[in-house]
Amino acid sequence: MTATTPEPPVDVRGRTMAREMAEQPAVLRRLLDEGAPAIRQVAQAIAARRPRFVLLTARGTSDNAALYAKYLLEIRLGLPCGLTSMSTTTAYGARPDLTDVLVITVSQSGGSPDLVASTRAAREAGAITLAVTNNPDSPLAGVSEYHVDVMAGPEKALPATKTYTASLLALYLFVEGLRGGDGAAAKPLPELAEHLLARQDEVRALAARYRFAERMVITSRGYGYPTAKEAALKLMETSYIPALSYSGADLLHGPLAMVDNVSPVIAVVTDGKGGEALQPVLDRLRGRGADLFVVGPAYQVEQASAGFVLPTEGVAEEVQPILEIIPLQLLAYEVTIARGQDPDAPRALAKVTETH
């Protein structure tokens, strides 16, 4: 009898997250080709009601997408915006007058009870309610007056990736619809996203540099700030590395004191006014000898300890966050794999978090 050599075990760690990250160009393309007309109709209907200001409601990854929408609405439309504290209505029973206020609730699943309850309360208080979800049949969509489908398809990995970039694009198209724009700045995004995903080997080499990091600091300004917050969340929920996210302005107001030449600092540098506002922070970080990792245009990466060059030439600043997060998703994935963990199944997490 001839002995056979057993096949080596197949490493399935992170397979689902990897597949869903790879779907992002197709999701972005589908949203532009198939979803944009419906989003424009919703935007036109809401614009006709002339909301006086906007409140944004979300949790987790969707909260970072909502923060991106806040920048869009305030910069592109001049509409004042706020991020809501749901417990004021769900726990304390407050009932503010929301007449003619646009309340946008962002949720991948549309299933969290506090999101549903706060949206229902907002509608009862006179608000114009819009749900932005990946599930048009969700309870949240059911209690909202309007709905935008981000059309990302089923997402099974616990770390949200494709639903995040799809939510950003859907919110961008919605805001463009409110202002009567055509959203043309988003057209190059699917192809650019493909090019970024094809550079995974480059990110894997960078991950080897940071696999033993005990903490990370992530900073940005302007449109890049939601990317910094989302990157920190991805690193924490997959690799369990404490990752602290700060606006560059806030970083200078105290937290800069903890920066040394050991703990990496990731700077998300948008090519535009946000990057210009971040420049003094980058100068201070370099002056402190920080291990500075830059995600941004080539001239910024060249001045850092390490980095990932983004194709920002000709890309409008307001849509760059849809590209910025992709290498940072890959970094979270690769650092987690390098640390011997499974990014598909972070401990103690569930896909739908039922807060009340």
Side-chain angles (χ1 to χ4, degrees), residues 167-230:
S167 295
L168 296 190
L169 179 54
L171 288 162
Y172 167 75
L173 293 172
F174 171 71
V175 173
E176 283 297 288
L178 285 179
R179 63 190 294 270
D182 59 7
K187 290 182 180 178
L189 296 177
E191 184 177 355
L192 291 172
E194 286 178 348
H195 291 316
L196 292 176
L197 287 162
R199 295 166 61 189
Q200 187 162 358
D201 288 347
E202 186 180 334
V203 178
R204 187 174 299 121
L206 291 165
R209 178 187 179 101
Y210 300 116
R211 62 179 294 192
F212 297 115
E214 295 185 1
R215 72 164 185 240
M216 291 186 179
V217 174
I218 308 176
T219 188
S220 189
R221 290 203 69 180
Y223 284 115
Y225 181 42
T227 307
K229 291 176 69 67
E230 175 61 12

Side-chain angles (χ1 to χ4, degrees), residues 21-281:
M21 286 190 295
E23 291 175 16
Q24 288 177 106
V27 171
L28 297 175
R29 195 169 283 115
R30 179 164 62 243
L31 198 50
L32 287 170
D33 292 345
E34 302 174 24
I39 294 173
R40 190 178 302 111
Q41 286 183 350
V42 169
Q44 289 171 346
I46 291 174
R49 297 174 64 173
R50 301 180 65 83
R52 53 194 175 101
F53 63 88
V54 182
L55 291 174
L56 293 142
T57 304
R59 296 284 194 202
T61 285
S62 294
D63 202 25
N64 300 326
L67 180 58
Y68 168 72
K70 184 177 188 294
Y71 277 90
L72 284 173
L73 287 158
E74 290 185 343
I75 295 169
R76 307 284 287 171
L77 284 176
L79 269 177
C81 299
L83 301 175
T84 63
S85 300
M86 281 175 277
S87 61
T88 61
T89 55
T90 60
Y92 291 93
R95 291 295 181 265
D97 180 3
L98 298 179
T99 304
D100 298 327
V101 174
L102 172 59
V103 173
I104 303 174
T105 306
V106 187
S107 171
Q108 175 241 313
S109 68
S112 186
D114 60 348
L115 293 169
V116 175
S118 65
T119 301
R120 182 185 292 113
R123 190 169 181 180
E124 291 170 354
I128 307 162
T129 52
L130 168 66
V132 178
T133 82
N134 194 40
N135 183 0
D137 298 319
S138 63
L140 178 60
V143 301
S144 300
E145 188 175 358
Y146 299 98
H147 178 256
V148 162
D149 185 358
V150 305
M151 302 180 71
E155 188 173 59
K156 297 180 180 178
L158 286 174
T161 54
K162 64 178 182 174
T163 53
Y164 179 70
T165 48
S167 295
L168 296 190
L169 179 54
L171 288 162
Y172 167 75
L173 293 172
F174 171 71
V175 173
E176 283 297 288
L178 285 179
R179 63 190 294 270
D182 59 7
K187 290 182 180 178
L189 296 177
E191 184 177 355
L192 291 172
E194 286 178 348
H195 291 316
L196 292 176
L197 287 162
R199 295 166 61 189
Q200 187 162 358
D201 288 347
E202 186 180 334
V203 178
R204 187 174 299 121
L206 291 165
R209 178 187 179 101
Y210 300 116
R211 62 179 294 192
F212 297 115
E214 295 185 1
R215 72 164 185 240
M216 291 186 179
V217 174
I218 308 176
T219 188
S220 189
R221 290 203 69 180
Y223 284 115
Y225 181 42
T227 307
K229 291 176 69 67
E230 175 61 12
L233 177 60
K234 283 293 156 284
L235 283 161
M236 287 189 287
E237 71 182 353
T238 56
S239 69
Y240 318 141
I241 296 174
L244 309 173
S245 59
Y246 295 99
S247 158
D250 289 332
L251 185 63
L252 296 183
H253 284 267
L256 184 68
M258 71 178 173
V259 173
D260 52 30
N261 61 357
V262 177
S263 300
V265 178
I266 299 175
V268 180
V269 186
T270 55
D271 194 0
K273 292 181 179 179
E276 293 169 10
L278 190 64
Q279 190 60 53
V281 183

